[in-house]
């Protein structure tokens, strides 16, 4: 779903607003497994959770820009929906009540595969840029992606000898943080 609005103020001034929304849902209707594997994969198995909840089910992008003569200012706000990291799980009160774990384990994260998967929260990222059009062929853009230096939620329990603090299996966006760039463009 995309909405695009353009307002020409005069020959040298223009305002643009683009709003884009993507909503998806992945559903597993069933499994077609060899007899010896029946029951080995369920809707709560890691691979199925990654398939159904490992990517954001929604993404919203709002991009206003304003052109004043040869200068264009642009801002973009992107909202990435939540994702689920199946291998980091939290023990629940229901497990303690059933006697599966001791009470002191309730709310503790681990990678045993016996609890509720860790949900990584939705995040907003903001990008800005300034473009100068020097002539019909040459322009330069100075941009800052993720200007507020937002990172995905860290894993509740680090992986690979405590070296991996962000999920390698699910991601809403990268783990680089703020990124400043300068691009020179020439068209012919």
């Amino acid at each position: 779903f995309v909405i695009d609005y353009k307002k020409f103020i005069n020959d040298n001034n223009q305002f643009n607003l683009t709003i884009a929304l993507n909503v998806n849902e992945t559903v597993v209707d069933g499994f077609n497994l060899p007899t010896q594997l029946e029951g080995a994969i369920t809707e709560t198995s890691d691979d199925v959770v990654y398939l159904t909840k490992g990517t954001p089910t929604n993404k919203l992008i709002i991009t206003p820009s304003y052109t004043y003569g040869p200068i264009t200012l642009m801002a973009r706000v992107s909202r990435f929906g939540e994702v689920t990291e199946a291998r980091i799980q939290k023990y629940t009160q229901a497990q303690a009540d059933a006697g599966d774990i001791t009470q002191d384990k309730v709310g503790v994260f681990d990678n045993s595969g016996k609890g509720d998967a860790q949900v990584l929260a939705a995040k907003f990222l903001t990008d800005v840029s300034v473009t100068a059009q020097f002539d019909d062929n040459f322009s330069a853009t100075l941009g800052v992606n993720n200007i507020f230096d937002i990172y995905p939620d860290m894993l509740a329990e680090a992986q690979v000898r405590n070296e991996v603090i962000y999920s390698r299996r699910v991601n809403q966006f990268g783990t680089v943080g703020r990124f400043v760039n300068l691009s020179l463009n020439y068209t012919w």
Side-chain angles (χ1 to χ4, degrees), residues 1-21:
F1 178 75
V2 177
I3 297 173
D4 189 40
Y5 171 78
K6 292 183 182 187
K7 173 71 174 170
F8 295 93
I9 298 165
N10 60 37
D11 289 344
N12 292 322
N13 298 303
Q14 176 181 330
F15 172 77
N16 293 337
L17 177 64
T18 302
I19 301 172
L21 175 65

Side-chain angles (χ1 to χ4, degrees), residues 107-129:
V108 174
F109 284 92
D110 79 354
N111 58 5
S112 68
K114 297 178 182 174
D116 289 343
Q118 180 181 0
V119 176
L120 308 177
K123 301 283 182 169
F124 286 89
L125 272 62
T126 305
D127 307 328
V128 295
S129 70

Side-chain angles (χ1 to χ4, degrees), residues 12-176:
N12 292 322
N13 298 303
Q14 176 181 330
F15 172 77
N16 293 337
L17 177 64
T18 302
I19 301 172
L21 175 65
N22 181 25
V23 178
N24 356 284
E25 180 182 15
T26 304
V27 178
V28 175
D29 291 332
F31 301 100
N32 184 10
L33 300 171
T35 307
Q36 55 270 43
L37 292 179
E38 284 182 11
I41 298 177
T42 66
E43 289 194 17
T44 58
S45 297
D46 289 353
D47 291 334
V48 177
V49 171
Y50 291 135
L51 178 66
T52 59
K53 298 179 182 177
T55 57
T57 57
N58 58 70
K59 182 176 180 183
L60 173 67
I61 303 172
I62 301 172
T63 309
S65 65
Y66 185 77
T67 300
Y68 181 75
I71 304 296
T72 299
L73 305 172
M74 186 278 302
R76 178 177 40 249
V77 176
S78 301
R79 180 195 182 275
F80 296 85
E82 68 181 25
V83 295
T84 300
E85 168 53 73
R87 293 203 180 169
I88 301 297
Q89 301 174 339
K90 181 170 58 173
Y91 291 119
T92 64
Q93 183 62 48
Q95 289 171 300
D97 293 344
D100 295 336
I101 61 168
T102 57
Q103 187 64 38
D104 63 319
K105 291 277 194 184
V106 173
V108 174
F109 284 92
D110 79 354
N111 58 5
S112 68
K114 297 178 182 174
D116 289 343
Q118 180 181 0
V119 176
L120 308 177
K123 301 283 182 169
F124 286 89
L125 272 62
T126 305
D127 307 328
V128 295
S129 70
V130 176
T131 301
Q133 187 74 42
F134 298 109
D135 60 31
D136 289 342
N137 303 93
F138 183 64
S139 67
T141 301
L142 175 63
V144 182
N145 291 356
N146 193 359
I147 193 165
F148 299 114
D149 207 23
I150 304 297
Y151 290 85
D153 290 347
M154 291 194 299
L155 294 173
E157 180 177 295
Q159 299 175 347
V160 189
R161 297 181 310 275
N162 292 327
E163 295 173 7
V164 179
I165 59 172
Y166 299 111
S167 177
R168 298 172 294 158
R169 294 171 191 85
V170 300
N171 67 26
Q172 300 147 298
F173 51 91
T175 59
V176 179

